[in-house]
Amino acid sequence: MPTLEAYREIVGDEFITSLYRKARRLYGKHIIHINSTSQGGGVAEMLSSLVPLMNDIGIATGWRILHGTPDFFDITKKFHNALQGSKVNLTKMKKELYRQVNRNFSIYTHIDHDCVIIHDPQPLPLIECYPKRQPWVWRAHIDLSDPNEKLWEFLKGFIFRYDMILSSNERYISQYLPVERRVIYPAIDPVSVKNKELSEKDITKYLGKFGIPTDKPLVTQISRFDVWKDPDGVIRVFNLVRKKVDARLVLCGSMSVDDPEGWEIYEKVTSKAKGLLESGDVILITSENNILVNVLQRSSAVIVQKSLREGFGLTVTEALWKETPVVASNIGGIPLQIRDGENGFLVDPLDTDGFADRIITLLKDPSLAKEMGRKGKKIVEKHFLITRLLADYLAILDSLIT
Ligand code: UDP
């Protein structure tokens, strides 16, 4: 596991020293993060780098995964969708099951930490399962700017009990809440397997291993199979692109236990893209493999992120870091990362023609693609590396527990 020293060369002595300095008052404190999956999706991705670094710097930091049942994850996925604006049939039974799974988990998860950090809505009710003896922080990773009202009323009952809410964007929690709010940006780990430098030899080896030919430029979206990531829309866009440029589309989306809709959406995409799949012009991948993600982000001519909602969009950050140009929806956290026309293109999420047009532009103009890629990396370097996220957490913990 990398220690803080592994980042010195990337972020510089001064930044590393400032981290050690910030951590001094927190030495020996005991912190716990709780979320609902150890793999699949951005939260697990960040925690797997952040938690070891917090320990390395001297804060005893644990990470627990809420043990959900399939019906629990069905409900929490519906909640997730409704928090991003869809309808939900909020029955008494759903509310009870949501609370019950949290209650059960609390029986064997003992909390005597100095601070508890809860990620996303699945473990949100845990706060009512313990005598509250320390600050509790709710880190909301999704776009909460327009939540379903009934659901929000229900969840507010838990949220009110927290000491602080963290979100990725100021606009996400606009409703009145008597709880301190802070904005904290997600981040990527530059030395992880997913983001580290790879040799051309490794890239070629992995493309071969996963059966991805390199005779045509690759256009790739890396995202869970989820309606909000609009894989259907990406195929519509690709159909327009290939009328002008011969290219290949890769949709890479691993499955996650807390997202039970994945296979359903995958099946829909498969039937929609049947002909293209048979000709090999569209490739679907469902295996979880960090090197493959790294390889795809480095070897694609264009990375697409056609989300309809997006809390932040770590896949965009990862591609920018690798100097690969990105065409993405102008929503959620994506405009925090891309300045349209400078280090990528931003397009209205429903503008199929606009997406196709920008992808074609980049496929036809490699020097523009290269220039945009170069600028993309600079933005990530400055704002979205894991060391900066560590600094943000140190500041938050300092304000809550010292
Ligand atoms: N991811 C992955 N394999 C896949 C699809 C996604 O490892 O097949 C990772 C991706 O690299 C990123 C995270 O899952 O680190 C997705 O984070 P993002 O913020 O883009 O979206 P979320 O899934 O959290 O909505």
Side-chain angles (χ1 to χ4, degrees), residues 31-248:
I31 310 295
I32 186 167
H33 288 271
I34 304 178
N35 78 319
S36 61
T37 178
S38 62
Q39 61 87 23
V43 180
E45 178 70 22
M46 266 181 295
L47 288 176
S48 55
S49 294
L50 180 71
V51 171
L53 285 180
M54 288 180 74
N55 281 286
D56 183 54
I57 209 163
I59 305 166
T61 308
W63 176 12
R64 303 280 184 284
I65 314 288
L66 179 72
H67 299 194
T69 51
D71 48 357
F72 172 80
F73 287 129
D74 274 344
I75 291 170
T76 54
K77 180 68 196 208
K78 288 195 174 91
F79 284 9
H80 174 97
N81 292 344
L83 284 171
Q84 303 208 111
S86 326
K87 288 199 177 122
V88 63
N89 178 16
L90 192 61
T91 60
K92 220 170 147 188
M93 211 161 78
K94 282 188 189 127
K95 291 189 206 169
E96 188 40 37
L97 197 126
Y98 177 54
R99 287 183 134 131
Q100 190 57 49
V101 164
N102 275 279
R103 250 180 252 132
N104 294 351
F105 177 74
S106 74
I107 291 168
Y108 49 83
T109 307
H110 304 142
I111 292 186
D112 55 2
H113 301 72
D114 297 302
C115 183
V116 183
I117 305 173
I118 298 290
H119 295 262
D120 276 343
Q122 297 91 338
L124 184 66
L126 277 178
I127 194 161
E128 67 174 13
C129 306
Y130 298 89
K132 187 171 170 300
R133 299 202 179 97
Q134 61 285 90
W136 282 59
V137 176
W138 186 46
R139 171 60 173 114
H141 292 268
I142 50 183
D143 180 346
L144 291 169
S145 45
D146 185 24
N148 173 287
E149 265 178 45
K150 274 203 183 126
L151 178 62
W152 186 250
E153 275 311 306
F154 170 57
L155 296 183
K156 250 171 34 183
F158 308 111
I159 296 169
F160 274 7
R161 296 169 177 231
Y162 281 75
D163 297 277
M164 189 183 278
I165 304 174
L166 305 175
S167 70
S168 309
N169 200 314
E170 263 158 35
R171 290 181 303 99
Y172 286 176
I173 304 180
S174 46
Q175 297 83 358
Y176 168 74
L177 281 177
V179 183
E180 187 185 345
R181 279 177 275 166
R182 288 202 196 174
V183 172
I184 179 170
Y185 296 135
I188 61 157
D189 183 346
V191 306
S192 69
V193 170
K194 184 171 285 174
N195 296 308
K196 68 176 187 183
E197 294 274 349
L198 293 175
S199 66
E200 279 306 317
K201 200 172 142 216
D202 280 341
I203 293 177
T204 312
K205 185 176 110 188
Y206 272 88
L207 287 173
K209 199 168 155 187
F210 281 87
I212 303 166
T214 48
D215 52 336
K216 301 177 188 182
L218 299 177
V219 175
T220 302
Q221 174 160 297
I222 291 163
S223 272
R224 291 177 293 105
F225 286 93
D226 177 339
V227 274
W228 303 105
K229 311 287 186 185
D230 198 18
D232 258 19
V234 180
I235 289 176
R236 280 196 301 278
V237 168
F238 181 65
N239 273 319
L240 296 179
V241 170
R242 60 198 288 278
K243 284 187 185 156
K244 304 275 179 191
V245 185
D246 197 13
R248 183 168 275 119

Side-chain angles (χ1 to χ4, degrees), residues 41-42 45 194 222 224 229 252-254 293 310 313-315 318:
E45 178 70 22
K194 184 171 285 174
I222 291 163
R224 291 177 293 105
K229 311 287 186 185
C252 175
S254 57
V293 170
E310 193 57 80
L314 276 178
T315 48
E318 289 160 6

